[in-house]
């Protein structure tokens, strides 16, 4: 009996993938379009247009022919004393407000995390400034600082024009900035505190750790990712602050509270130098990204 050799079946060719986007990908982009279109029109588009203006001599006037000037606006900006003055004021403002509102918010979050009476009501009241527009907050604090009818002068028994004094105007608006930005920082830190396992504190109590040791060795390390995130966002928000300070002082007295964004506003809409103001905004964006990148890099390095 002879065995017959069977011929092996030829290998099956893999199915060719259809060209183009899959149905799931097309549906995903279709669902994202309502959110992407406004972002492209009102965020990305103006951003790219502003970057392009920074390298021109554009002016907010009629019958002006815009031409490309390269880095001329940047050289003029770096040699302008007004820019460095506003940059120094902006650095003092943003760092002071960010640090102070974090410390105040951390203390308030620790208090609201305790099992206090009427804790729910206290949490609601703590976020009231968050619901108020910056213009309303500015008008309210102008009344508080009013030299004749202000509550602050009535309580202290003084007659000080807080927002018009060269040495007091910047600290006065820093207080307002801390009060305005503290609620959202408190909410984020409170959420972080509630996410810390209670077992860690119970283990610390068993080991005889004091309240301060538990805060330093348990609470702060557990809150580090939250702290890095919220302080980064607060710094970006504060360095770009405009409306609140404009309502309070409009950059006065004598430019003592003229933040970089107020300086850019004056150059663009008061003196009509749109290209120069765009370069100022671009320069500030680069500085903020550099400082923020260095800060995040150091925090990530410490975490590792």
């Amino acid at each position: 009996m002879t065995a017959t050799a069977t011929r092996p079946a030829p290998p099956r060719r893999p199915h060719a993938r259809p060209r183009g986007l899959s149905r799931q990908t097309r549906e995903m982009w279709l669902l994202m379009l309502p959110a992407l279109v406004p972002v492209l029109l009102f965020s990305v588009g103006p951003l790219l247009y502003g970057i392009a203006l920074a390298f021109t001599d554009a002016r907010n006037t009629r019958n002006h022919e815009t031409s490309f000037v390269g880095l001329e606006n940047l050289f003029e900006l770096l040699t302008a004393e007004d820019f460095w003055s506003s940059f120094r004021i902006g650095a003092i403002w943003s760092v002071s407000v960010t640090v102070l509102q974090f410390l105040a918010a951390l203390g308030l979050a620790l208090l609201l995390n305790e099992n206090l009476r009427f804790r729910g009501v206290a949490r609601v009241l703590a976020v009231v400034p968050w619901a108020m527009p910056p213009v309303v907050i500015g008008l309210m604090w102008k009344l508080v600082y009013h030299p004749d009818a202000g509550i602050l002068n009535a309580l202290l028994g003084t007659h000080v024009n807080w927002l018009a004094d060269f040495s007091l105007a910047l600290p006065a608006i820093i207080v307002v900035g801390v009060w305005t930005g503290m609620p959202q920082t408190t909410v984020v830190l409170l959420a972080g505190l509630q996410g810390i396992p209670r077992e860690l504190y119970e283990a610390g109590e068993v080991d005889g750790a004091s309240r301060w040791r538990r805060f330093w060795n348990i609470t702060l390390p557990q809150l580090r990712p939250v702290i890095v995130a919220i302080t980064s966002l607060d710094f970006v928000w504060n360095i770009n602050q405009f409306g609140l300070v404009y309502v309070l002082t409009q950059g006065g007295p004598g430019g003592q509270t003229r933040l970089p964004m107020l300086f850019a506003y004056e150059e663009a809409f008061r003196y009509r130098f749109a290209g120069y103001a765009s370069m100022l905004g671009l320069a500030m964006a680069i500085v903020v990204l550099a400082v923020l990148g260095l800060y995040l890099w150091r925090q990530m390095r410490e975490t590792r």
Side-chain angles (χ1 to χ4, degrees), residues 1-194:
M1 186 174 181
T2 59
T4 57
T6 58
R7 190 175 184 180
R12 306 179 90 182
R13 295 182 179 180
H15 293 286
R17 295 183 179 179
R19 296 182 179 180
L21 299 176
S22 63
R23 180 181 177 182
Q24 185 178 4
T25 305
R26 290 196 301 269
E27 291 178 352
M28 180 189 68
W29 282 104
L30 186 62
L31 292 174
M32 290 175 61
L33 274 179
L36 284 177
V37 171
V39 171
L40 293 175
L41 289 178
F42 302 112
S43 295
V44 178
L47 175 63
L48 297 177
Y49 181 67
I51 294 175
L53 281 182
F55 300 95
T56 67
D57 62 348
R59 299 195 62 180
N60 292 329
T61 57
R62 294 181 179 179
N63 302 324
H64 176 74
E65 295 183 0
T66 302
S67 58
F68 180 78
V69 295
L71 298 177
E72 182 178 333
N73 289 328
L74 179 61
F75 295 146
E76 183 178 353
L77 184 68
L78 295 178
T79 56
E81 185 178 350
D82 290 341
F83 166 71
W84 291 111
S85 175
S86 68
F87 181 79
R88 176 182 59 83
I89 295 170
I92 296 173
W93 154 270
S94 56
V95 173
S96 300
V97 173
T98 301
V99 172
L100 292 176
Q101 75 184 15
F102 165 72
L103 294 176
L106 180 60
L108 183 58
L110 290 171
L111 181 64
L112 295 178
N113 196 43
E114 297 294 330
N115 191 15
L116 302 175
R117 194 176 183 182
F118 304 112
R119 183 174 60 176
V121 178
R123 289 180 177 178
V124 173
L125 294 177
V127 298
V128 167
W130 197 4
M132 300 173 64
V135 175
V136 175
I137 295 175
L139 294 175
M140 181 186 71
W141 277 91
K142 285 190 76 171
L143 294 176
V144 172
Y145 286 136
H146 196 277
D148 299 322
I151 300 175
L152 185 59
N153 280 327
L155 292 175
L156 298 178
T158 57
H159 186 77
V160 178
N161 194 347
W162 298 89
L163 298 178
D165 190 283
F166 276 75
S167 59
L168 296 177
L170 185 57
I173 67 169
I174 287 176
V175 171
V176 181
V178 172
W179 185 84
T180 305
M182 190 173 64
Q184 62 266 31
T185 309
T186 302
V187 171
V188 174
L189 292 176
L190 181 60
L193 288 172
Q194 293 179 344

Side-chain angles (χ1 to χ4, degrees), residues 252-276:
Q256 295 299 310
T257 60
R258 185 168 57 183
L259 303 182
M261 294 302 105
L262 271 73
F263 181 44
Y265 171 81
E266 291 180 352
E267 293 294 328
F269 297 101
R270 180 177 296 180
Y271 305 116
R272 308 289 185 177
F273 295 116
Y276 182 71

Side-chain angles (χ1 to χ4, degrees), residues 156-289:
L156 298 178
T158 57
H159 186 77
V160 178
N161 194 347
W162 298 89
L163 298 178
D165 190 283
F166 276 75
S167 59
L168 296 177
L170 185 57
I173 67 169
I174 287 176
V175 171
V176 181
V178 172
W179 185 84
T180 305
M182 190 173 64
Q184 62 266 31
T185 309
T186 302
V187 171
V188 174
L189 292 176
L190 181 60
L193 288 172
Q194 293 179 344
I196 300 176
R198 296 297 306 174
E199 293 80 5
L200 297 178
Y201 293 105
E202 294 173 358
E205 291 179 3
V206 171
D207 293 339
S210 62
R211 180 180 290 268
W212 170 252
R213 292 294 296 265
R214 294 197 299 270
F215 169 76
W216 188 258
N217 295 322
I218 299 176
T219 304
L220 282 183
Q222 292 292 319
L223 280 181
R224 176 169 291 181
V226 178
I227 293 173
V228 172
I230 191 60
T231 52
S232 301
L233 292 175
D234 286 343
F235 176 77
V236 173
W237 173 261
N238 292 325
I239 196 67
N240 291 316
Q241 184 62 256
F242 172 78
L244 180 65
V245 181
Y246 183 80
V247 173
L248 285 169
T249 62
Q250 296 186 2
Q256 295 299 310
T257 60
R258 185 168 57 183
L259 303 182
M261 294 302 105
L262 271 73
F263 181 44
Y265 171 81
E266 291 180 352
E267 293 294 328
F269 297 101
R270 180 177 296 180
Y271 305 116
R272 308 289 185 177
F273 295 116
Y276 182 71
S278 299
M279 178 57 73
L280 195 155
L282 178 59
M284 288 303 303
I286 293 174
V287 170
V288 171
L289 290 175

